[in-house]
Structures are given as structure tokens and as C-alpha cells.
Amino acid sequence: MLPAEAFFVRRVPLDPAAEAADQVELALETHAPFALGQLFYGYRRAADGASALVFATHRRLFAAEGWDGAAAVLPAFAALLGEPPPRRQVRTWSDGDSLVVAAWDGQGSLPALVLARKVEPATEAADRESLFAEARARLGELGAVEEFAGPVSVALKKQNWEFSVARRAGGTLVTTFDEAAVQAMDVRDKEVLATRRATQQRDRLLWRILQASAGAIAFAVVLEVALFLGGILLNQQREAQRAVAGEVEKIQTAQALGTRIEEMAQRRLRAMEMLAVVNAVRPAGIVFSRSTTAGRDTLEVEGQSANADNVGTFESAVRALPQVATLEVSNVGLRDGLTTFRFVTTFKDGSLAAVAGTGGAK
């Protein structure tokens, strides 16, 4: 923070639609007591963009100052610009070395006049009255007076700058500026600031690249560790599988054998079951003389009966059986007074599994 008494201060009108920096330079060329190239200057633009508080000082006053490491260089009265009063009011600030009088005329958010003077404790009261007299001469009625004292504290919070100064009556005035406002108020050489900002942007970009690279490397390391641990776990699982492979193979073989036995049991030749099914509907006058199987589900039966009608009755009964798929009748004839026949019965697949009895032919 630079002493306020070193600055020439003027509120100037602006075109809200035009670039503020160009208008400020034109105003300085018109009103400043020195050429623009001999000045350190800055400005605070009003919220509506229609005016700016312009402040400048001669370069030789601060030629030896080492500002390279400073984040910003502003006049001390910047701390009084927060919470602009809605009507005429005066704010005074003193830290024992400097005295500032900032006067608002009720027309905008910026003071119409800023006066400052270097003071001594013994003469501060007289200097204060002198500054008030000058302010009244230039603005007329000044309105209420609010007094501040002590050092100005500065803090950077979430990309915003906070300037705090204590009220004599108690409490604190906090003035907040965003980064763009602080850059506009920074009084250092504008070319130097432009170079500095370009360097900062480059450094931020390089820092982000470095962070991204570090993040990528960390991710790759984590991934590599995960793959390594995963490989160890996979090898352990394989070893465990190999250890029980013999038992698993035995179990699988036993299961396969059991399944095969069950399938064979289901698919075995069921000669007695087939004979039992057709025998259950055989009329009493029919006698089976011969029965053979042809495949897993086909039964051939030869028989005879003294009553020829029994053969037709038997044929109809066999065809009506739910287990029978087809029935072929052949070799029906007479021999020694008996009617002979040959039945070839094909059963439906799986239909004989539920047959409980195996009652033989009579």
C-alpha cells in the first residue's frame, strides 16, 4: 500500500460502452500535471461504468521501490472505497503518518474528491480542518463524517482481495475487489504488468500441465500396482485350482458316470413293460404264441384266437393305448380252425417309464 498523499486523484466521466483504459489515459493526458510516460497510475471504474476514480503519481517518487515481488501495488485510500454511501458523506482515515479525506456527493459509487496529506501527531487536527475546508470549498455541504484509523489489512480470499480498516466508532469496513479490479488499480508500469501477467498465465499453465502429468503418473503407478496385485491374486487362485483339480476331476467323472447310468436306465430295452401294456387290453380268447422286440421301443407279437372277432377287438384296444405311437397288423389268416395274426407295435418315446407292472402273457 502506497501513501495516499503521493497521488493526484480525480473522478472522470466515462463512456460505458468504450474501453475504460483508453479513456483513462486520455483523461490523464488532459488533467495530470505530468506527461503520461512519467506517471505510475491506476483507476477504479464505477459499477455502472459511467465514471472512474483515476489516481497517478510521479515515477521518481517511487523509483527505488522494489515491487517485483508484490502481488499488487495500490494507494492506501483504496480501503475506503467499499460500501459506497447513498448520499453525501465524508470518510477520513489516519494511521499517524497519513491523513485521507474522501468525500461522496451522492452521485455514484465513487468519491467525488480524495484529499490526502502527510501529518504529524501535533498538527493532525489542524491538517484535518484544512482538508475539510478545501473539500467544502470544492463540493459545498459535505454531509455526515465517518472516521477510520489504524493500519489497512489485506487478504486474498477465493480470487478476491479484501481490504479492511477499523472504524473509530467500532466495527470494520471491508472493501472487496476482484482480480480484474485490482489489476486496473495496480499503479505499476502497464507494460511491466502485461509482461508479468503473461508470465503468470504461462506459469499457471505449466503448473496445471505439471499437475496433470503428476496425476497421470500417479494413476499409472496405481494401475501398475493393481495389475501386480491382481497377478498375485490370480496366481494364488490358479494354484488353489491346481491343488483341488484332482478332486474336482474325480467329482466330475462320478457325476458324468451317474448321468450316463441314469440315461442308460431310461433308455434300456423295456420288453416286459411293452408286453405288459398290450397284454393289459388283450381279450381273454387271444393267446400270444410269440413275442420279440425290434429296437428299444418296438414290440412284435404273434398270436391266435378261436374267435376271429377277438383280433379286431384287440387291434382297436391297442391303437387306443396312450403309450402306442403306431400299430401295424399283418399275417391275419386261418390255420387249423384258429385265426392267426401278427402285431408290430411302436411305442412313444419315454412312455414306458411309468409302467409299474410287468404282468406276463396269459
Side-chain angles (χ1 to χ4, degrees):
M1 303 295 291
L2 298 181
E5 64 270 16
F7 286 87
F8 160 84
V9 185
R10 179 72 63 88
R11 187 178 70 183
V12 298
L14 296 181
D15 179 1
E19 175 63 36
D22 295 337
Q23 298 181 76
V24 167
E25 290 183 357
L26 180 60
L28 285 172
E29 290 176 352
T30 302
H31 300 291
F34 303 102
L36 187 63
Q38 297 176 322
L39 300 176
F40 288 131
Y41 66 91
Y43 65 93
R44 169 61 173 163
R45 191 170 190 172
D48 60 4
S51 62
L53 190 68
V54 180
F55 38 90
T57 185
H58 201 283
R59 286 176 179 254
R60 71 183 178 205
L61 295 178
F62 300 100
E65 296 287 349
W67 292 341
D68 290 342
V73 179
L74 280 68
F77 61 76
L80 300 178
L81 301 181
E83 303 176 12
R87 60 186 64 86
R88 288 179 176 269
Q89 182 178 319
V90 175
R91 288 176 177 172
T92 68
W93 171 74
S94 173
D95 65 351
D97 294 321
S98 296
L99 176 64
V100 177
V101 174
W104 277 259
D105 59 2
Q107 300 179 17
S109 59
L110 298 174
L113 182 67
V114 177
L115 302 174
R117 183 174 296 178
K118 185 174 179 61
V119 297
E120 298 290 340
T123 61
E124 183 173 337
D127 289 331
R128 184 177 183 276
E129 289 302 322
S130 176
L131 292 178
F132 267 82
E134 183 179 349
R136 280 191 291 267
R138 295 171 63 174
L139 298 179
E141 180 62 32
L142 298 180
V145 177
E146 189 175 21
E147 297 184 355
F148 300 86
V152 175
S153 62
V154 184
L156 179 61
K157 296 183 178 180
K158 296 182 179 179
Q159 304 301 316
N160 289 326
W161 294 77
E162 289 188 359
F163 295 77
S164 303
V165 61
R167 290 183 171 91
R168 286 189 185 274
T172 302
L173 173 65
V174 178
T175 302
T176 302
F177 300 116
D178 59 23
E179 186 65 27
V182 171
Q183 290 179 3
M185 296 172 69
D186 197 324
V187 301
R188 288 175 290 185
D189 186 276
K190 305 309 175 189
E191 293 184 0
V192 173
L193 287 177
T195 302
R196 177 187 177 90
R197 283 193 288 270
T199 302
Q200 290 175 340
Q201 290 176 352
R202 182 202 63 195
D203 292 344
R204 281 195 291 267
L205 177 61
L206 292 176
W207 175 245
R208 291 192 184 108
I209 293 174
L210 179 60
Q211 286 180 315
S213 300
I217 293 173
F219 177 76
V221 170
V222 171
L223 183 60
E224 186 68 23
V225 171
L227 290 174
F228 176 73
L229 295 178
I232 293 177
L233 180 61
L234 182 60
N235 289 335
Q236 290 176 346
Q237 291 177 340
R238 288 175 177 172
E239 289 295 331
Q241 290 174 352
R242 282 194 289 268
V244 299
E247 294 297 325
V248 171
E249 186 176 358
K250 291 179 181 179
I251 294 172
Q252 291 176 340
T253 301
Q255 288 178 340
L257 182 59
T259 302
R260 180 62 177 165
I261 291 173
E262 183 178 357
E263 290 177 352
M264 291 178 66
Q266 295 293 332
R267 299 175 63 87
R268 67 182 176 83
L269 185 62
R270 296 180 181 270
M272 299 305 295
E273 287 86 343
M274 290 189 288
L275 186 59
V277 169
V278 297
N279 186 59
V281 295
R282 176 178 59 84
I286 289 180
V287 177
F288 293 159
S289 59
R290 180 174 177 270
S291 65
T292 60
T293 58
R296 187 172 59 87
D297 52 8
T298 301
L299 175 69
E300 296 181 7
V301 176
E302 295 179 1
Q304 60 187 15
S305 175
N307 187 350
D309 293 337
N310 286 340
V311 176
T313 302
F314 186 35
E315 177 184 357
S316 299
V318 171
R319 289 187 186 279
L321 290 171
Q323 296 91 343
V324 173
T326 63
L327 173 64
E328 297 179 5
V329 180
S330 62
N331 298 339
V332 179
L334 289 173
R335 181 185 303 171
D336 298 330
L338 298 175
T339 302
T340 60
F341 63 89
R342 178 175 177 268
F343 284 5
V344 179
T345 307
T346 302
F347 291 84
K348 297 176 182 177
D349 188 29
S351 65
L352 299 174
V355 178
T358 58
K362 297 179 181 177

